[in-house]
Amino acid sequence: MSKSGIVNVRMVITEEKILSNIDKVQKLINPNSKKQIIQLEEDAYFKDLIESIKTYLIEYPKKKNFPKSVYKAAYALVEYATNQFEENTKKIEELIRQREKNISLAGELRDTLLIVQAKEENWKQAIKDISGDFPEDIIDTLNIIGRTKSDTSQNFLDAVKLINARIANLESNLHIEIDMERIEDRSKALSYIGIEVADALKLIPTPQDDEEEQVVTQQVTETPVAEDKKYFEQTRVEVKPSLWQRIKNSKVVRAIVYAFKVKIVLQTPALPEGRGDQGQN
């Protein structure tokens, strides 16, 4: 077998490997997958997969003959990551609004508790005014505080303790902070794909269907060098719009911060393949 023949066989294997790596990345960022990316900074396997895809896109020798299957798979990966990032941004916005609402409710409940504890003349009305904002158990507990004559009785103390605990929970927003941190970690991984893969994908001329290729071949009469240049110009399109561009245009400042924080410089692997499968499919 000739030397060029060996290279061609090796390229076919590499193409299959890259398609497999793209599929693995897609599964890692799928919110319904059991194996998800958790923390970008600590996930060398995920970054390895992305680096292998990026390297393949950049170092492929003849961009004009770039494999259609890899281009389509990489393009689909960027589009999927983009959509997932935007969904995460919406969830973050919702969580921020919920956190602000909880803090407001905490202040409202604290003010009402002070009125009820002091047995002010309007304490019953104060409870009624917030009845639509809090569950029945909180309203009942406030009424117990208001009706209890002794502020040293166990019922009174237990009721006050319960209300203060609810105020503390609303102010801490612990479950919301946990959810936000989890979503932010996924968004970092998604934006990392946008930075690394989408930019590399811009270097590849968009593959054409067989019929379109025939038309281009018939129309081009220049020298081989000019032909390659014209082919690139005819088929080159922007990755519409790339994840990185959509991140920059995001109205949520937090989303922009993610993108700038996750620019990580990695060493280029010897071969454009993911290093280590870790048994993942």
Side-chain angles (χ1 to χ4, degrees):
M1 183 180 290
S2 67
K3 184 176 179 180
S4 61
I6 295 175
V7 173
N8 289 337
V9 172
R10 186 174 175 182
M11 186 60 71
V12 171
I13 296 174
T14 303
E15 179 181 336
E16 293 174 350
K17 180 64 177 178
I18 292 303
L19 287 172
S20 174
N21 287 354
I22 291 174
D23 182 64
K24 290 172 184 176
V25 171
Q26 184 122 357
K27 289 178 179 177
L28 286 172
I29 63 175
N30 187 331
N32 299 320
S33 175
K34 293 181 180 179
K35 296 180 180 179
Q36 292 185 40
I37 178 80
I38 299 177
Q39 290 187 325
L40 177 64
E41 291 85 352
E42 299 177 7
D43 200 322
Y45 174 69
F46 176 82
K47 292 186 290 187
D48 239 9
L49 290 173
I50 297 300
E51 183 69 8
S52 73
I53 298 167
K54 172 188 172 184
T55 301
Y56 187 90
L57 293 171
I58 293 175
E59 297 186 357
Y60 196 87
K62 292 195 69 175
K63 299 294 191 292
K64 175 181 176 180
N65 298 325
F66 192 86
K68 293 180 183 179
S69 59
V70 176
Y71 183 91
K72 290 179 179 179
Y75 189 100
L77 176 64
V78 171
E79 283 293 292
Y80 183 77
T82 302
N83 293 334
Q84 288 296 312
F85 184 92
E86 292 178 341
E87 286 299 315
N88 281 0
T89 299
K90 293 177 184 177
K91 291 177 182 177
I92 288 290
E93 290 175 324
E94 292 173 0
L95 289 172
I96 290 174
R97 285 194 294 268
Q98 184 61 55
R99 183 175 62 182
E100 292 173 347
K101 180 180 179 181
N102 285 353
I103 292 173
S104 175
L105 288 173
E108 187 178 359
L109 186 56
R110 178 183 289 104
D111 292 341
T112 303
L113 175 62
L114 292 174
I115 293 173
V116 176
Q117 279 184 289
K119 302 295 191 297
E120 294 185 15
E121 184 177 347
N122 65 331
W123 72 266
K124 291 183 180 180
Q125 183 60 44
I127 295 176
K128 185 177 180 180
D129 290 342
I130 67 168
S131 61
D133 296 331
F134 295 93
E136 188 175 346
D137 65 316
I138 292 297
I139 301 304
D140 290 344
T141 302
L142 287 171
N143 279 311
I144 290 173
I145 296 172
R147 290 194 300 266
T148 303
K149 295 181 179 180
S150 173
D151 59 5
T152 59
S153 69
Q154 194 60 46
N155 283 344
F156 181 90
L157 295 175
D158 288 345
V160 172
K161 183 178 180 180
L162 189 151
I163 297 298
N164 281 325
R166 181 59 62 89
I167 292 172
N169 287 338
L170 288 169
E171 288 179 331
S172 68
N173 288 291
L174 181 60
H175 68 288
I176 290 180
E177 296 296 336
I178 292 174
D179 286 345
M180 288 180 66
E181 183 176 353
R182 175 178 55 81
I183 295 173
E184 287 173 2
D185 284 335
R186 287 198 69 245
S187 292
K188 288 178 182 179
L190 295 169
S191 62
Y192 187 71
I193 294 173
I195 294 169
E196 301 296 335
V197 179
D199 282 350
L201 196 60
K202 292 178 181 179
L203 303 174
I204 312 296
T206 305
Q208 294 181 316
D209 294 333
D210 292 338
E211 293 182 0
E212 293 175 333
E213 288 180 347
Q214 292 176 4
V215 171
V216 171
T217 302
Q218 292 172 358
Q219 291 178 343
V220 176
T221 58
E222 292 83 359
T223 63
V225 175
E227 179 180 341
D228 287 342
K229 181 179 179 181
K230 184 170 183 178
Y231 179 89
F232 186 85
E233 292 174 348
Q234 288 177 331
T235 61
R236 177 69 177 89
V237 295
E238 287 294 323
V239 177
K240 53 173 184 181
S242 73
L243 174 59
W244 176 237
Q245 290 169 325
R246 281 155 79 167
I247 291 172
K248 289 195 295 183
N249 293 333
S250 173
K251 295 180 181 179
V252 182
V253 176
R254 295 173 66 93
I256 300 176
V257 174
Y258 303 155
F260 283 102
K261 283 185 176 180
V262 300
K263 181 63 177 178
I264 299 175
V265 179
L266 301 174
Q267 291 184 348
T268 303
L271 292 175
E273 298 186 1
R275 300 185 292 276
D277 285 353
Q278 298 184 354
Q280 298 192 34
N281 294 315

